[in-house]
Amino acid sequence: MKRWLKLAAGAAALTLATAGCAGSGGGDTASGSGGSEGGTLTVWLMDGSAPDSLTGALNKEFEAAHAGVKVNYQIQPWNGIQQKLTTALASDTPPDVIEVGNTQTPAFASDEVLTDLSADVNSFNGSQWLAGLKASGEFNGKTYGVPFYAANREVLYRKDMFEQAGITAPPTSDAEWLADIAKLKAKFGSDKDFQPLYLPGQYWYTLLSFIWDNGGDIAKADGKSFKSTLDSAGAKAGLEFYKQLVDASGTTAPKDNDEATPQQAGIYGGGKVAMFIGTPGEVATAAKTDPTLTDKTGAFPIPSKTAGQNAPVFLGGSNLVIPLNSKHADLAKEYLKLLTSTKYMSQMAAAGYVPGTSTDTSALDKDPLGGVMAKASKNGRAVPTSPKWGEVEAGQNPLKDMLTAYLTGKKSIDQATADANAALDKIIGG
């Protein structure tokens, strides 16, 4: 998804190289922290995040409470944002509040271009922060990013197909999930194009749920670095269950590509798929092909091996940061205090996101698919907070290579995980 941007390799070097460059146009008449001196507070949020109704009301309320202050609100496109952020954060006049992807935050924190917000957590509704996003905003024991919003995956399914196959309730364990796949195959398997579950071979976001559910992890902190753990027993068990799902479903999804190639929502829209693992927004994409899917689709959290529990899910989303060189740090904190209040977080929930600083998801719960996402998010996690994680996603992703090698039989599970572990260590282990 666009929210989860790839970091460019060498970001730290680029930051140093661009130090002192012109910023975002956020210059103003105020000086110092700008507490009551008036001026302009420049805010960058990303395209497609906060709805216009929210930001319009927020900025109006903030200006009314701070005489002489104007909010220079700018919507930034995702395309090219890494370069733009790197340049802006290194400048002497950066924006004062910026939305960044949760996997970007550790890299910018390590570049020492973000304000340490550790002492301000309680002011930003800290007791209600979404745990998975909270972790993504931390670096070396300090907090640099404030959770903004999140989204996570769930199992989206055809309610009509489940009913026809005699499945009366969504599965609540891995064993029930596999049993339901068998029931769907028995009912619809005569159609050679039918797939009980569409599951691409390189869908590593889903793999994380199975690894975490089995007590494994991608990597563990090792001082200021990380040590890869893809060869652990828990990681191997997660990989084995992934293969079990692929084999049981007989999915025709490519084993050497991810959910975006081809777009899995389009495959689901074709009408021959009973389940896929995705975000609620993907149903709207599928409905462009078949509008009836909107009413036919239900959702359930990714099941756990433990009956009655949900597997942990990867949380993608955004954090809010204040650049270290902001001329209005105090005002920026006041702005974050307002934005992270329950009043505005409830509007983020109504827009279809899991709010980052409020446990009130009632507005999201009104939507059947969104409510399931909100429930699953409570057991959400982040990828390792390595400044180099962007290189993992932007380059030759070892998790993808591991999946393909094992699913195609080119490597044993021991060899596939050992090779992935070594490759990941070369990226985040230093």
Side-chain angles (χ1 to χ4, degrees):
M1 295 179 66
K2 291 191 293 183
R3 306 280 182 269
W4 309 324
L5 297 179
K6 315 296 194 284
L7 291 175
L14 185 56
T15 298
L16 294 173
T18 56
C21 293
S24 64
D28 49 55
T29 59
S31 60
S33 63
S36 60
E37 298 173 2
T40 301
L41 186 80
T42 300
V43 177
W44 283 9
L45 299 186
M46 299 307 301
D47 184 30
S49 57
D52 292 341
S53 57
L54 182 156
T55 55
L58 171 72
N59 294 336
K60 183 177 180 180
E61 181 176 348
F62 186 80
E63 289 176 348
H66 298 83
V69 173
K70 294 296 181 183
V71 177
N72 175 20
Y73 174 62
Q74 300 181 26
I75 299 175
Q76 301 296 328
W78 285 102
N79 187 33
I81 193 60
Q82 177 64 37
Q83 172 69 53
K84 192 170 186 178
L85 286 176
T86 302
T87 302
L89 285 166
S91 77
D92 290 331
T93 54
D96 302 293
V97 175
I98 301 178
E99 174 190 346
V100 300
N102 60 331
T103 59
Q104 290 178 304
T105 312
F108 288 131
S110 72
D111 287 346
E112 299 181 353
V113 292
L114 302 182
T115 297
D116 179 3
L117 300 174
S118 303
D120 303 285
V121 171
N122 289 337
S123 298
F124 307 141
N125 221 15
S127 63
Q128 296 193 45
W129 284 13
L130 190 60
L133 278 189
K134 177 180 184 293
S136 73
E138 297 173 340
F139 184 74
N140 281 349
K142 298 179 180 179
T143 297
Y144 294 92
V146 178
F148 188 18
Y149 62 84
N152 49 269
R153 289 164 178 80
E154 58 194 12
V155 184
L156 297 153
Y157 74 99
R158 286 279 298 268
K159 294 184 289 186
D160 55 333
M161 287 184 173
F162 268 47
E163 183 178 354
Q164 292 173 51
I167 303 170
T168 58
T172 59
S173 70
D174 287 348
E176 289 183 6
W177 198 6
L178 290 168
D180 288 344
I181 287 174
K183 291 177 183 178
L184 289 162
K185 286 182 74 172
K187 177 64 178 179
F188 301 103
S190 60
D191 184 341
K192 64 180 181 61
D193 294 323
F194 174 73
Q195 298 179 71
L197 172 68
Y198 182 83
L199 184 58
Q202 294 187 344
Y203 202 177
W204 68 276
Y205 293 121
T206 291
L207 173 65
L208 296 185
S209 287
F210 306 146
I211 289 177
W212 288 330
D213 189 46
N214 281 279
D217 211 336
I218 310 168
K220 294 290 186 182
D222 183 17
K224 291 187 177 181
S225 184
F226 286 86
K227 177 64 179 174
S228 303
T229 55
L230 291 173
D231 60 349
S232 67
K236 288 179 181 178
L239 184 57
E240 286 177 331
F241 182 68
Y242 195 107
K243 187 175 189 301
Q244 196 172 359
L245 282 176
V246 167
D247 293 344
S249 66
T251 180
T252 58
K255 292 182 172 63
D256 58 353
N257 251 315
D258 60 21
E259 74 285 1
T261 311
Q263 286 286 344
Q264 62 177 6
I267 303 299
Y268 180 67
K272 298 292 183 74
V273 172
M275 288 182 282
F276 75 104
I277 301 167
T279 59
E282 291 181 80
V283 176
T285 300
K288 293 178 182 178
T289 302
D290 179 3
T292 67
L293 287 176
T294 300
D295 293 329
K296 290 178 180 177
T297 300
F300 57 89
I302 297 175
S304 166
K305 66 176 184 176
T306 305
Q309 295 185 12
N310 305 328
V313 291
F314 166 69
L315 285 180
S318 289
N319 292 322
L320 298 163
V321 301
I322 298 175
L324 186 63
N325 290 339
S326 167
K327 301 302 187 292
H328 300 296
D330 288 348
L331 271 179
K333 291 177 182 180
E334 289 296 314
Y335 190 88
L336 289 186
K337 187 183 298 183
L338 187 60
L339 178 52
T340 57
S341 66
T342 300
K343 174 181 180 179
Y344 288 103
M345 282 289 108
S346 64
Q347 293 184 42
M348 290 299 293
Y353 297 111
V354 180
T357 61
S358 173
T359 56
D360 181 10
T361 60
S362 56
L364 186 58
D365 294 339
K366 294 177 182 178
D367 175 69
L369 306 185
V372 171
M373 181 174 70
K375 176 183 177 182
S377 72
K378 293 178 173 57
N379 193 16
R381 299 189 188 179
V383 295
T385 54
S386 166
K388 298 182 180 180
W389 185 259
E391 297 177 35
V392 176
E393 295 194 37
Q396 190 72 22
N397 189 326
L399 286 89
K400 287 187 173 184
D401 291 343
M402 177 182 70
L403 278 162
T404 296
Y406 179 54
L407 294 176
T408 58
K410 291 181 179 179
K411 294 180 182 179
S412 67
I413 192 166
D414 289 341
Q415 190 63 57
T417 54
D419 290 349
N421 214 54
L424 189 61
D425 264 340
K426 288 182 179 179
I427 304 173
I428 67 172

